[in-house]
Amino acid sequence: MSLLRLEDINTFYGGIHALKGVSLEVNEGEIVTLIGSNGAGKSTTLKTISGQVKPKSGKIIYNGQDITNTPPHVTALTGIAHVPEGRRIFPRLTVKENLEMGAFSVKDKRVIEERMERVFHYFPRIKERLQQKGGTMSGGEQQMLAIGRALMMQPKLLMLDEPSMGLAPIIVEQIFEIIKELNEEGMTILLVEQNAFQALQIAHRGYVIQTGEIVMSGLGKDLLVNEQVREAYLA
Amino acid sequence: MINEVLHTLPQVLIDGLTLGAVYAIVALGYTMVYGILELINFAHGEIFMTGAFVGTAILLTFAGFGWLASMPALVALVLVLVVTSVVTGLLGMGIERVAYRPLRNAPKLITLITAIGVSFLLQDIVRFIAELKNGNYILTGPSLFSGQIGIKVSSISSIFNDASVKSSFFIVLIVAVIMMVTLDFFVNKTKWGMAMRAVAQDRETAALMSVNVNKVIALTFFIGSALGGATGVLFAIQYGTIDPYIGFILGLKAFTAAVLGGIGNIRGAMFGGILIGIMEMFAAANLPVISHGVLGAEYKDVFAFAILIIVLIFKPEGLFGKVSVEKV
Ligand SMILES: Nc1ncnc2c1ncn2[C@@H]1O[C@H](COP(=O)(O)OP(=O)(O)OP(=O)(O)O)[C@@H](O)[C@H]1O
Ligand SMILES: [Mg+2]
């Protein structure tokens, strides 16, 4: 069943036509990856979904509802969590406060604590650093915190923008493991990556975006062995 | 010379603390708005001034009906503070909504010029209304706490002269401290305070956490302006006479205090305010002594702005400026 569907989305930054008729679909329970090189429009796709930028035309259907022009703070309430590119941890909030921000819409303190325990289960390292300022964490820790913060929203759809960026291979490995684990427990995931090889390995399906257009799509394992994909992104 | 300076020290400290508390709270308004929008809200000094007028107008009305005599001064004070805070809080929120929000994505300079425009507008509106109602835009309110209390500092050491304090001093100080402690608690310990800090640090990401950024910005303006307006009331109570232009210089000094404490830093603004208040009173009392009469007490203002310039040159991030430890 389709959880998220983009229909012919066109997004502009002033005169720059960043998304040129993007259509894609994410089904419930899937890991879908969107791969492409620098400036292809991957982040813009996620920003358009979460409402940070408004598309000029096209439709975004989530869970049967039209969320095309929904502002980001409302999109977040519908169960879409967006882990932005570059992690964007609140640098001068403590790690604990960063997590609490993820659960901003939750009133019940007990629920917040339960969710936090769940985050510690995935990222035990966060638990040891609760009182530290977010900005003083290492890159890998910040990425874990950014994902943990998104998990505090208990999203139905988790969108990750280049979680592997700038991280050591072993940390990337860990993070992709956790993405897989989250998915196996039922979370739907839309994963944006330049690291196409690793993304395609865990993804059920993938889309390839090039200068604002989807140029290819298919099963993760098929794209992984596709000649063109190998040449352009896996070389 | 040292002896002369020491003689007046107790009085300087008392007066400086009172004035400093006023600066501190007005500085909070500058620093909160700057922290969240990177906007120097020049109209904030005028919010303070408007608060002084609203408060005085309420007190004069009470007095006119003869209520003031039958009401304990403290009750009148609390009533006036609450009403004035709400009025100026809404005013600040309205200004943000009408004048600043449409310019949210415009170059900073344009918003800054708008803020200066709002300043003049408020001065003129208050002046117009005051003249209309009163025939004169200089207003003297009824005094609520007029007693003088002598403090026999000389009994501690004969170096010091005795100090004398209007009893309103304690009122100003206590109310100011309550406001600062409450704000500090709100910002650091409550959910909406945390949202405020989050929005100040990264507005886009805060929105992704389901925070309504416009609401948080409006709240920031409300709180800053409510505190500023209430401080206007305290000022009117302490110093008696007000005019529509008191917000200008005072606003600049409070802004200096905010810069001194590291603009955007709330505790820094409190500290900066107190420091500038004390230094200013120190200068007023001692400049003529130290300079052997060359510089009169009126040079005290130059003093505050000299501090501003020195801070901007040598420590532009202020005494407690944010240290950049952020990793990208
Ligand atoms: N705020 C902006 N203003 C103007 N142009 C922008 C803006 N953000 C992105 N663009 C442009 O839109 C296009 C798509 O950018 P986008 O950030 O979506 O790429 P990306 O695929 O995420 O790239 P990367 O892998 O480098 O993160 C690029 O040409 C970029 O220059
Ligand atoms: Mg990107």
Side-chain angles (χ1 to χ4, degrees):
Chain A
M1 204 193 95
S2 152
L3 181 63
L4 176 76
R5 200 167 68 242
L6 272 63
E7 296 173 3
D8 198 21
I9 289 289
N10 284 283
T11 300
F12 290 79
Y13 293 107
I16 299 168
H17 197 172
L19 296 184
K20 303 167 183 159
V22 167
S23 296
L24 59 80
E25 196 165 14
V26 180
N27 295 313
E28 217 159 293
E30 275 188 318
I31 300 181
V32 172
T33 184
L34 179 63
I35 57 178
S37 41
N38 285 116
K42 304 180 298 294
S43 297
T44 305
T45 304
L46 295 194
K47 286 181 181 175
T48 308
I49 297 168
S50 61
Q52 289 185 317
V53 296
K54 286 202 188 325
K56 188 157 259 173
S57 65
K59 246 187 180 174
I60 304 170
I61 310 292
Y62 169 75
N63 223 355
Q65 278 182 316
D66 188 335
I67 59 158
T68 313
N69 286 307
T70 312
H73 68 273
V74 180
T75 309
L77 293 174
T78 66
I80 299 180
H82 178 177
V83 181
E85 184 175 321
R87 342 195 201 287
R88 306 286 283 266
I89 293 305
F90 299 109
R92 291 180 301 283
L93 296 191
T94 64
V95 169
K96 182 152 187 259
E97 288 172 328
N98 266 282
L99 290 175
E100 285 167 351
M101 282 307 297
F104 187 72
S105 60
V106 181
K107 298 218 162 47
D108 191 338
K109 280 228 162 64
R110 234 188 28 241
V111 174
I112 296 177
E113 255 158 49
E114 280 167 19
R115 290 189 187 178
M116 225 179 260
E117 283 306 320
R118 182 139 179 263
V119 170
F120 299 152
H121 159 75
Y122 294 112
F123 305 108
R125 252 208 270 185
I126 291 182
K127 193 173 183 173
E128 300 154 21
R129 306 195 172 288
L130 286 180
Q131 295 314 319
Q132 192 175 330
K133 291 267 187 284
T136 63
M137 304 246 287
S138 76
E141 289 165 349
Q142 288 195 18
Q143 186 61 61
M144 294 179 188
L145 178 56
I147 298 175
R149 184 177 63 181
L151 293 180
M152 293 296 288
M153 299 168 73
Q154 208 159 73
K156 231 175 141 57
L157 173 64
L158 179 63
M159 306 198 297
L160 301 152
D161 196 342
E162 298 202 40
S164 74
M165 190 168 59
L167 301 184
I170 178 146
I171 307 282
V172 176
E173 200 78 42
Q174 282 176 21
I175 285 177
F176 275 60
E177 268 314 306
I178 286 163
I179 295 173
K180 244 170 81 180
E181 193 179 331
L182 286 167
N183 174 254
E184 277 155 15
E185 288 165 15
M187 197 173 290
T188 308
I189 286 161
L190 176 54
L191 171 65
V192 159
E193 265 299 344
Q194 278 199 54
N195 190 339
F197 182 65
Q198 258 162 323
L200 288 171
Q201 276 186 323
I202 63 164
H204 300 103
R205 291 187 306 115
Y207 292 85
V208 180
I209 187 169
Q210 216 171 61
T211 56
E213 286 176 277
I214 302 285
V215 293
M216 214 185 297
S217 65
L219 295 179
K221 57 178 193 288
D222 293 344
L223 289 174
L224 207 48
V225 295
N226 181 292
E227 267 317 305
Q228 279 163 288
V229 174
R230 291 188 81 92
E231 224 164 86
Y233 305 103
L234 303 174
Chain B
M1 193 171 80
I2 292 290
N3 271 338
E4 277 179 74
V5 172
L6 283 176
H7 279 325
T8 54
L9 198 58
Q11 187 77 48
V12 162
L13 285 178
I14 286 169
D15 293 344
L17 209 56
T18 317
L19 188 63
V22 169
Y23 290 160
I25 303 175
V26 178
L28 286 176
Y30 282 103
T31 234
M32 284 166 69
V33 166
Y34 186 88
I36 216 155
L37 287 184
E38 284 180 20
L39 163 71
I40 298 167
N41 179 18
F42 265 105
H44 189 63
E46 271 58 48
I47 297 270
F48 158 86
M49 175 275 293
T50 307
F53 270 86
V54 171
T56 304
I58 298 173
L59 284 176
L60 285 173
T61 311
F62 281 2
F65 285 114
W67 295 343
L68 217 47
S70 57
M71 174 185 320
L74 223 45
V75 174
L77 175 78
V78 170
L79 212 63
V80 171
L81 282 176
V82 169
V83 175
T84 306
S85 305
V86 172
V87 170
T88 54
L90 292 175
L91 177 66
M93 236 167 88
I95 291 171
E96 189 274 329
R97 184 70 191 81
V98 174
Y100 302 152
R101 197 182 297 180
L103 298 173
R104 189 82 56 79
N105 298 314
K108 294 269 144 59
L109 188 61
I110 294 183
T111 326
L112 191 69
I113 292 167
T114 306
I116 295 172
V118 172
S119 269
F120 286 127
L121 191 68
L122 281 178
Q123 284 176 7
D124 285 342
I125 291 175
V126 169
R127 180 177 165 151
F128 178 77
I129 296 177
E131 276 186 327
L132 197 70
K133 293 267 174 207
N134 199 44
N136 185 350
Y137 64 81
I138 299 173
L139 221 58
T140 304
S143 63
L144 275 184
F145 307 93
S146 51
Q148 291 273 342
I149 299 167
I151 300 181
K152 294 241 170 294
V153 198
S154 56
S155 61
I156 303 172
S157 159
S158 59
I159 298 173
F160 300 129
N161 283 351
D162 285 341
S164 105
V165 217
K166 284 169 74 180
S167 50
S168 60
F169 162 84
F170 293 106
I171 300 293
V172 171
L173 207 60
I174 290 167
V175 175
V177 168
I178 291 174
M179 289 200 277
M180 288 191 262
V181 171
T182 310
L183 180 77
D184 196 79
F185 177 83
F186 173 79
V187 169
N188 291 310
K189 292 283 179 301
T190 69
K191 185 167 166 158
W192 281 93
M194 180 171 75
M196 225 149 125
R197 285 179 290 142
V199 170
Q201 291 170 35
D202 189 339
R203 199 189 297 170
E204 277 186 359
T205 305
L208 291 179
M209 311 285 111
S210 80
V211 175
N212 184 341
V213 171
N214 281 334
K215 211 161 146 184
V216 170
I217 291 174
L219 178 71
T220 306
F221 271 85
F222 182 87
I223 295 174
S225 306
L227 293 178
T231 315
V233 176
L234 296 182
F235 181 90
I237 287 173
Q238 172 76 1
Y239 300 102
T241 301
I242 55 174
D243 67 58
Y245 307 105
I246 53 170
F248 179 68
I249 288 281
L250 192 135
L252 278 181
K253 286 184 192 160
F255 173 68
T256 304
V259 172
L260 182 63
I263 187 110
N265 182 324
I266 287 179
R267 287 184 186 169
M270 299 182 196
F271 181 83
I274 303 278
L275 197 64
I276 291 218
I278 290 176
M279 286 200 287
E280 181 179 324
M281 280 304 166
F282 185 83
N286 297 310
L287 272 180
V289 181
I290 294 171
S291 68
H292 299 288
V294 178
L295 297 175
E298 65 276 13
Y299 281 89
K300 66 183 172 38
D301 288 352
V302 179
F303 207 70
F305 299 120
I307 295 171
L308 176 64
I309 293 168
I310 291 169
V311 171
L312 287 178
I313 292 174
F314 293 104
K315 214 166 179 321
E317 77 279 14
L319 296 178
F320 310 101
K322 307 162 188 166
V323 190
S324 317
V325 284
E326 290 136 55
K327 290 205 175 105
V328 184

